Amino acid sequence: DTIYALAYKNVYLIMILGIILWTILWYCFRCHARLRIMLNTIMCLISLYLVLKYTVLHRMPSDDHQFMVFAPYNSEFYRELLMNVLLFYPLGLTLTVLIGPRSILVAFILSFGIESWQYIAGTGVAQVSDVLMNTLGCAIGAVPYLIRFYVERRKG
């Protein structure tokens, strides 16, 4: 998949720009709660679709059931970890606005479910590291919401 071919600097840039853009959008639409929720719901559904597209959809089941704690350490080890963070990052940006910090638990459960499915159906290699990095990606995506929540709580 092409997402796994991105250069590291592009991944970092995407994540930083995502946080900045989502923070700006949050403040631009702060008076329009319905519009903000609708936009986040749409983006959350798109994020969820992309997660499923790269992990479950369009993969053919096989009799090859593989489980690993971590991917083998090679030249692609860190790229794979980073790409798993990036995959769930948009979900953290959007889902956290809708359900709060519980989004991190939802991301963990979703990732665990995807890895379980990959093992059971033989559609990929189930890895504990994927679950951890996916959950971390959601947590990083939740940063703008958590900062805003903390700032608003300190004000009032």
Side-chain angles (χ1 to χ4, degrees):
D1 295 326
T2 57
I3 190 171
Y4 286 94
L6 290 174
Y8 290 125
K9 66 179 182 180
N10 292 341
V11 173
Y12 298 135
L13 184 63
I14 288 168
M15 293 175 81
I16 290 168
L17 289 175
I19 286 176
I20 292 169
L21 177 63
W22 225 247
T23 303
I24 290 170
L25 283 173
W26 181 265
Y27 284 105
C28 287
F29 292 116
R30 70 176 172 240
C31 297
H32 305 286
R34 281 185 165 167
L35 183 58
R36 186 175 60 222
I37 297 301
M38 186 172 68
L39 176 65
N40 273 285
T41 301
I42 291 168
M43 295 306 292
C44 184
L45 291 173
I46 291 170
S47 298
L48 183 59
Y49 169 75
L50 291 174
V51 164
L52 294 175
K53 177 184 179 211
Y54 286 108
T55 59
V56 175
L57 304 175
H58 310 295
R59 289 190 181 188
M60 298 304 297
S62 73
D63 292 329
D64 189 20
H65 307 283
Q66 299 179 46
F67 173 79
M68 298 171 142
V69 175
F70 283 95
Y73 186 77
N74 58 30
S75 62
E76 292 297 307
F77 178 76
Y78 293 109
R79 176 179 308 286
E80 186 175 328
L81 293 178
L82 184 60
M83 292 305 135
N84 278 303
V85 169
L86 179 63
L87 187 61
F88 271 62
Y89 170 76
L91 195 61
L93 282 172
T94 58
L95 188 59
T96 306
V97 173
L98 299 174
I99 65 171
R102 292 184 306 255
S103 64
I104 299 167
L105 177 60
V106 170
F108 173 80
I109 292 168
L110 176 63
S111 182
F112 184 81
I114 288 168
E115 295 303 312
S116 297
W117 173 254
Q118 287 179 343
Y119 178 77
I120 292 166
T123 59
V125 178
Q127 297 177 11
V128 173
S129 61
D130 287 359
V131 175
L132 296 173
M133 293 300 106
N134 293 157
T135 305
L136 177 62
C138 182
I140 293 171
V143 166
Y145 172 85
L146 297 173
I147 290 172
R148 182 190 58 80
F149 179 78
Y150 177 76
V151 168
E152 287 180 359
R153 196 165 190 200
R154 299 273 298 177
K155 285 182 183 178

